[in-house]
Amino acid sequence: MSAKVKILAPITNKDSIVDALNQLDCVHDIRVGIDKIVFRIKDITGNHTFTLEGNQWNFNYEDFYREGNGEAKGRKFLDEFMPIYNKIQEERHVEELRQLVKAKEEEITAKAKAYNYRVIRKEDNGKIKLVLTRPRIG
Amino acid sequence: MSEERIEITINEDGSVDALSKGFKGPVCVEELENILGKEFASISKTDEYHQKHIKQNIQQVRN
């Protein structure tokens, strides 16, 4: 039996992104998770949240059109915020990213050993590959 | 001896891809959760996984 999973990248420069969002009048209800920033834009009603997961934005552009006045508000937000966000990402700290990857590797290795796996580590073009094996019982 | 195997790739941006092999039934997902947590962005199971579940369900109906 087998299964394949994917876990998103953690958000780097999270504090800078939240600071930038806080400075915009149109943004409210900002919630921050480990790999997610969720917020709302004023005057866009309903349950329309705007999400940054990993390094991917999740905007539903159709919501802007459906909301009438919300379209202008949504576009105003994008016009104001995206240049700031792009600048933040250009300044992304390589060291921060390296530390995140290292911490992830250490966490996975520790858990694997706790579950009695043998861990083989390889590096391939900047990616870290961990192969966990243990004999099947029964 | 057959083995249980999990192949994990930690990408440069910190995202993680993982594949489990050689487990019996839904344990293959549970083991990934044990090692990686439960915050999966996506999860896919093989045809083999589904076939096993169909067989199990048929068996349960018969019993």
Side-chain angles (χ1 to χ4, degrees), chain A residues 10-22 30-37 52 54-55 85 88-89 93 96 100:
Chain A
I11 300 171
T12 50
N13 291 339
K14 195 187 291 178
D15 292 345
S16 301
I17 293 168
V18 173
D19 284 348
L21 285 169
N22 271 322
I30 302 171
R31 284 164 288 158
V32 182
I34 294 169
D35 59 0
K36 195 182 284 187
I37 298 173
L52 173 62
N55 290 316
Y85 174 73
I88 290 169
Q89 290 307 81
H93 301 295
E96 183 187 1
L100 282 167

mmCIF file of all heavy atoms in Angstrom, chain A residues 10-22 30-37 52 54-55 85 88-89 93 96 100:
data_model
loop_
_atom_site.group_PDB
_atom_site.id
_atom_site.type_symbol
_atom_site.label_atom_id
_atom_site.label_comp_id
_atom_site.label_asym_id
_atom_site.label_seq_id
_atom_site.Cartn_x
_atom_site.Cartn_y
_atom_site.Cartn_z
ATOM 1 N N PRO A 10 6.858 26.720 4.359
ATOM 2 C CA PRO A 10 6.524 27.707 5.392
ATOM 3 C C PRO A 10 6.660 29.114 4.817
ATOM 4 O O PRO A 10 7.387 29.321 3.851
ATOM 5 C CB PRO A 10 7.578 27.445 6.471
ATOM 6 C CG PRO A 10 8.694 26.770 5.769
ATOM 7 C CD PRO A 10 8.110 26.027 4.616
ATOM 8 N N ILE A 11 5.963 30.043 5.408
ATOM 9 C CA ILE A 11 6.043 31.425 4.922
ATOM 10 C C ILE A 11 7.281 32.081 5.514
ATOM 11 O O ILE A 11 7.465 32.088 6.730
ATOM 12 C CB ILE A 11 4.797 32.225 5.332
ATOM 13 C CG1 ILE A 11 3.544 31.569 4.750
ATOM 14 C CG2 ILE A 11 4.897 33.663 4.867
ATOM 15 C CD1 ILE A 11 2.261 32.163 5.274
ATOM 16 N N THR A 12 8.117 32.615 4.651
ATOM 17 C CA THR A 12 9.279 33.350 5.148
ATOM 18 C C THR A 12 8.921 34.831 5.212
ATOM 19 O O THR A 12 8.003 35.291 4.554
ATOM 20 C CB THR A 12 10.491 33.145 4.221
ATOM 21 O OG1 THR A 12 10.069 33.414 2.893
ATOM 22 C CG2 THR A 12 11.011 31.733 4.308
ATOM 23 N N ASN A 13 9.635 35.575 6.020
ATOM 24 C CA ASN A 13 9.374 37.014 6.203
ATOM 25 C C ASN A 13 7.943 37.277 6.652
ATOM 26 O O ASN A 13 7.315 38.264 6.259
ATOM 27 C CB ASN A 13 9.662 37.797 4.918
ATOM 28 C CG ASN A 13 11.131 37.832 4.596
ATOM 29 O OD1 ASN A 13 11.963 37.632 5.467
ATOM 30 N ND2 ASN A 13 11.452 38.074 3.353
ATOM 31 N N LYS A 14 7.416 36.374 7.468
ATOM 32 C CA LYS A 14 6.018 36.472 7.900
ATOM 33 C C LYS A 14 5.735 37.796 8.622
ATOM 34 O O LYS A 14 4.730 38.453 8.369
ATOM 35 C CB LYS A 14 5.707 35.293 8.822
ATOM 36 C CG LYS A 14 4.227 35.083 9.056
ATOM 37 C CD LYS A 14 4.002 34.008 10.100
ATOM 38 C CE LYS A 14 4.391 32.655 9.607
ATOM 39 N NZ LYS A 14 4.223 31.605 10.614
ATOM 40 N N ASP A 15 6.651 38.175 9.516
ATOM 41 C CA ASP A 15 6.434 39.409 10.289
ATOM 42 C C ASP A 15 6.340 40.622 9.370
ATOM 43 O O ASP A 15 5.504 41.501 9.576
ATOM 44 C CB ASP A 15 7.565 39.609 11.312
ATOM 45 C CG ASP A 15 7.520 38.558 12.412
ATOM 46 O OD1 ASP A 15 6.474 37.887 12.538
ATOM 47 O OD2 ASP A 15 8.525 38.409 13.121
ATOM 48 N N SER A 16 7.217 40.666 8.373
ATOM 49 C CA SER A 16 7.205 41.804 7.438
ATOM 50 C C SER A 16 5.895 41.853 6.665
ATOM 51 O O SER A 16 5.342 42.934 6.419
ATOM 52 C CB SER A 16 8.365 41.702 6.446
ATOM 53 O OG SER A 16 9.575 41.672 7.137
ATOM 54 N N ILE A 17 5.396 40.687 6.278
ATOM 55 C CA ILE A 17 4.141 40.636 5.512
ATOM 56 C C ILE A 17 2.984 41.114 6.385
ATOM 57 O O ILE A 17 2.146 41.916 5.950
ATOM 58 C CB ILE A 17 3.880 39.206 4.994
ATOM 59 C CG1 ILE A 17 4.939 38.826 3.953
ATOM 60 C CG2 ILE A 17 2.484 39.089 4.385
ATOM 61 C CD1 ILE A 17 4.958 37.345 3.597
ATOM 62 N N VAL A 18 2.936 40.633 7.624
ATOM 63 C CA VAL A 18 1.850 41.040 8.523
ATOM 64 C C VAL A 18 1.943 42.537 8.823
ATOM 65 O O VAL A 18 0.918 43.238 8.847
ATOM 66 C CB VAL A 18 1.890 40.211 9.832
ATOM 67 C CG1 VAL A 18 0.878 40.729 10.841
ATOM 68 C CG2 VAL A 18 1.603 38.748 9.526
ATOM 69 N N ASP A 19 3.147 43.041 9.034
ATOM 70 C CA ASP A 19 3.325 44.487 9.256
ATOM 71 C C ASP A 19 2.762 45.285 8.078
ATOM 72 O O ASP A 19 2.069 46.289 8.256
ATOM 73 C CB ASP A 19 4.809 44.831 9.432
ATOM 74 C CG ASP A 19 5.315 44.441 10.807
ATOM 75 O OD1 ASP A 19 4.473 44.120 11.676
ATOM 76 O OD2 ASP A 19 6.541 44.447 11.014
ATOM 77 N N ALA A 20 3.090 44.832 6.876
ATOM 78 C CA ALA A 20 2.627 45.543 5.672
ATOM 79 C C ALA A 20 1.104 45.490 5.568
ATOM 80 O O ALA A 20 0.462 46.494 5.224
ATOM 81 C CB ALA A 20 3.261 44.913 4.438
ATOM 82 N N LEU A 21 0.526 44.339 5.885
ATOM 83 C CA LEU A 21 -0.939 44.209 5.836
ATOM 84 C C LEU A 21 -1.593 45.120 6.879
ATOM 85 O O LEU A 21 -2.613 45.764 6.613
ATOM 86 C CB LEU A 21 -1.356 42.763 6.093
ATOM 87 C CG LEU A 21 -1.135 41.769 4.947
ATOM 88 C CD1 LEU A 21 -1.331 40.340 5.444
ATOM 89 C CD2 LEU A 21 -2.078 42.061 3.793
ATOM 90 N N ASN A 22 -0.991 45.193 8.057
ATOM 91 C CA ASN A 22 -1.548 46.022 9.137
ATOM 92 C C ASN A 22 -1.572 47.501 8.787
ATOM 93 O O ASN A 22 -2.363 48.267 9.333
ATOM 94 C CB ASN A 22 -0.743 45.804 10.428
ATOM 95 C CG ASN A 22 -1.313 44.660 11.250
ATOM 96 O OD1 ASN A 22 -2.521 44.475 11.331
ATOM 97 N ND2 ASN A 22 -0.436 43.867 11.840
ATOM 98 N N ILE A 30 -6.808 39.852 10.549
ATOM 99 C CA ILE A 30 -5.628 39.085 10.117
ATOM 100 C C ILE A 30 -5.360 37.965 11.112
ATOM 101 O O ILE A 30 -5.304 38.197 12.319
ATOM 102 C CB ILE A 30 -4.371 39.987 10.040
ATOM 103 C CG1 ILE A 30 -4.604 41.146 9.075
ATOM 104 C CG2 ILE A 30 -3.147 39.180 9.612
ATOM 105 C CD1 ILE A 30 -3.512 42.200 9.112
ATOM 106 N N ARG A 31 -5.240 36.740 10.595
ATOM 107 C CA ARG A 31 -4.893 35.602 11.451
ATOM 108 C C ARG A 31 -3.644 34.924 10.887
ATOM 109 O O ARG A 31 -3.540 34.743 9.673
ATOM 110 C CB ARG A 31 -6.060 34.604 11.508
ATOM 111 C CG ARG A 31 -7.204 35.083 12.417
ATOM 112 C CD ARG A 31 -8.465 34.320 12.156
ATOM 113 N NE ARG A 31 -9.063 34.704 10.878
ATOM 114 C CZ ARG A 31 -9.905 33.956 10.199
ATOM 115 N NH1 ARG A 31 -10.235 32.773 10.646
ATOM 116 N NH2 ARG A 31 -10.413 34.387 9.056
ATOM 117 N N VAL A 32 -2.743 34.583 11.784
ATOM 118 C CA VAL A 32 -1.460 34.051 11.339
ATOM 119 C C VAL A 32 -1.263 32.633 11.865
ATOM 120 O O VAL A 32 -1.418 32.382 13.055
ATOM 121 C CB VAL A 32 -0.296 34.938 11.842
ATOM 122 C CG1 VAL A 32 1.040 34.417 11.330
ATOM 123 C CG2 VAL A 32 -0.507 36.382 11.405
ATOM 124 N N GLY A 33 -0.965 31.709 10.971
ATOM 125 C CA GLY A 33 -0.651 30.333 11.360
ATOM 126 C C GLY A 33 0.768 30.001 10.953
ATOM 127 O O GLY A 33 1.499 30.853 10.440
ATOM 128 N N ILE A 34 1.166 28.754 11.175
ATOM 129 C CA ILE A 34 2.542 28.355 10.869
ATOM 130 C C ILE A 34 2.841 28.534 9.381
ATOM 131 O O ILE A 34 3.867 29.077 8.998
ATOM 132 C CB ILE A 34 2.781 26.884 11.281
ATOM 133 C CG1 ILE A 34 2.681 26.773 12.797
ATOM 134 C CG2 ILE A 34 4.129 26.381 10.778
ATOM 135 C CD1 ILE A 34 2.629 25.361 13.317
ATOM 136 N N ASP A 35 1.933 28.075 8.546
ATOM 137 C CA ASP A 35 2.191 28.174 7.110
ATOM 138 C C ASP A 35 1.060 28.903 6.394
ATOM 139 O O ASP A 35 0.784 28.651 5.232
ATOM 140 C CB ASP A 35 2.402 26.783 6.503
ATOM 141 C CG ASP A 35 1.190 25.895 6.716
ATOM 142 O OD1 ASP A 35 0.219 26.375 7.329
ATOM 143 O OD2 ASP A 35 1.206 24.746 6.267
ATOM 144 N N LYS A 36 0.413 29.813 7.115
ATOM 145 C CA LYS A 36 -0.757 30.449 6.521
ATOM 146 C C LYS A 36 -0.983 31.842 7.110
ATOM 147 O O LYS A 36 -0.813 32.041 8.317
ATOM 148 C CB LYS A 36 -1.972 29.570 6.817
ATOM 149 C CG LYS A 36 -3.189 29.869 5.987
ATOM 150 C CD LYS A 36 -4.347 28.989 6.390
ATOM 151 C CE LYS A 36 -4.226 27.576 5.888
ATOM 152 N NZ LYS A 36 -5.428 26.767 6.140
ATOM 153 N N ILE A 37 -1.342 32.805 6.278
ATOM 154 C CA ILE A 37 -1.830 34.101 6.751
ATOM 155 C C ILE A 37 -3.198 34.300 6.104
ATOM 156 O O ILE A 37 -3.325 34.211 4.882
ATOM 157 C CB ILE A 37 -0.897 35.261 6.341
ATOM 158 C CG1 ILE A 37 0.492 35.083 6.972
ATOM 159 C CG2 ILE A 37 -1.491 36.611 6.782
ATOM 160 C CD1 ILE A 37 1.513 36.093 6.493
ATOM 161 N N LEU A 52 -2.611 33.493 2.212
ATOM 162 C CA LEU A 52 -1.259 33.207 1.743
ATOM 163 C C LEU A 52 -0.859 31.892 2.373
ATOM 164 O O LEU A 52 -0.741 31.775 3.590
ATOM 165 C CB LEU A 52 -0.291 34.312 2.172
ATOM 166 C CG LEU A 52 1.187 34.067 1.882
ATOM 167 C CD1 LEU A 52 1.440 33.948 0.384
ATOM 168 C CD2 LEU A 52 2.038 35.181 2.457
ATOM 169 N N GLY A 54 1.947 28.822 2.222
ATOM 170 C CA GLY A 54 3.272 28.606 1.661
ATOM 171 C C GLY A 54 3.697 29.916 1.049
ATOM 172 O O GLY A 54 3.571 30.966 1.665
ATOM 173 N N ASN A 55 4.152 29.884 -0.168
ATOM 174 C CA ASN A 55 4.467 31.142 -0.838
ATOM 175 C C ASN A 55 3.461 31.430 -1.947
ATOM 176 O O ASN A 55 3.757 32.103 -2.913
ATOM 177 C CB ASN A 55 5.895 31.097 -1.385
ATOM 178 C CG ASN A 55 6.892 31.141 -0.250
ATOM 179 O OD1 ASN A 55 6.735 31.929 0.681
ATOM 180 N ND2 ASN A 55 7.887 30.287 -0.303
ATOM 181 N N TYR A 85 4.439 43.493 -1.233
ATOM 182 C CA TYR A 85 4.702 42.064 -1.025
ATOM 183 C C TYR A 85 5.871 41.594 -1.902
ATOM 184 O O TYR A 85 6.761 40.869 -1.438
ATOM 185 C CB TYR A 85 3.449 41.247 -1.347
ATOM 186 C CG TYR A 85 3.690 39.760 -1.297
ATOM 187 C CD1 TYR A 85 3.865 39.120 -0.082
ATOM 188 C CD2 TYR A 85 3.764 39.005 -2.461
ATOM 189 C CE1 TYR A 85 4.109 37.754 -0.024
ATOM 190 C CE2 TYR A 85 4.007 37.648 -2.413
ATOM 191 C CZ TYR A 85 4.174 37.027 -1.191
ATOM 192 O OH TYR A 85 4.428 35.678 -1.134
ATOM 193 N N ILE A 88 9.064 42.655 -0.421
ATOM 194 C CA ILE A 88 9.402 41.831 0.751
ATOM 195 C C ILE A 88 10.014 40.505 0.297
ATOM 196 O O ILE A 88 11.012 40.047 0.831
ATOM 197 C CB ILE A 88 8.145 41.561 1.621
ATOM 198 C CG1 ILE A 88 7.695 42.848 2.311
ATOM 199 C CG2 ILE A 88 8.425 40.475 2.662
ATOM 200 C CD1 ILE A 88 6.325 42.737 2.975
ATOM 201 N N GLN A 89 9.415 39.910 -0.723
ATOM 202 C CA GLN A 89 9.908 38.615 -1.183
ATOM 203 C C GLN A 89 11.289 38.720 -1.828
ATOM 204 O O GLN A 89 12.093 37.799 -1.726
ATOM 205 C CB GLN A 89 8.915 37.980 -2.161
ATOM 206 C CG GLN A 89 7.629 37.527 -1.506
ATOM 207 C CD GLN A 89 7.862 36.614 -0.312
ATOM 208 O OE1 GLN A 89 8.146 37.072 0.787
ATOM 209 N NE2 GLN A 89 7.774 35.319 -0.514
ATOM 210 N N HIS A 93 15.222 36.333 3.151
ATOM 211 C CA HIS A 93 16.536 35.976 3.678
ATOM 212 C C HIS A 93 16.864 34.521 3.354
ATOM 213 O O HIS A 93 16.153 33.608 3.753
ATOM 214 C CB HIS A 93 16.550 36.173 5.193
ATOM 215 C CG HIS A 93 16.246 37.571 5.603
ATOM 216 N ND1 HIS A 93 17.081 38.622 5.297
ATOM 217 C CD2 HIS A 93 15.210 38.102 6.280
ATOM 218 C CE1 HIS A 93 16.568 39.730 5.790
ATOM 219 N NE2 HIS A 93 15.419 39.452 6.377
ATOM 220 N N GLU A 96 17.354 32.524 6.494
ATOM 221 C CA GLU A 96 16.114 32.123 7.172
ATOM 222 C C GLU A 96 15.570 30.837 6.553
ATOM 223 O O GLU A 96 15.146 29.910 7.249
ATOM 224 C CB GLU A 96 15.074 33.238 7.065
ATOM 225 C CG GLU A 96 13.786 32.925 7.801
ATOM 226 C CD GLU A 96 12.684 33.950 7.549
ATOM 227 O OE1 GLU A 96 12.919 34.907 6.781
ATOM 228 O OE2 GLU A 96 11.590 33.778 8.093
ATOM 229 N N LEU A 100 15.099 27.103 8.178
ATOM 230 C CA LEU A 100 13.805 26.414 8.162
ATOM 231 C C LEU A 100 13.949 24.983 7.649
ATOM 232 O O LEU A 100 13.380 24.047 8.205
ATOM 233 C CB LEU A 100 12.811 27.171 7.267
ATOM 234 C CG LEU A 100 12.157 28.416 7.852
ATOM 235 C CD1 LEU A 100 11.469 29.218 6.761
ATOM 236 C CD2 LEU A 100 11.148 28.026 8.925
#
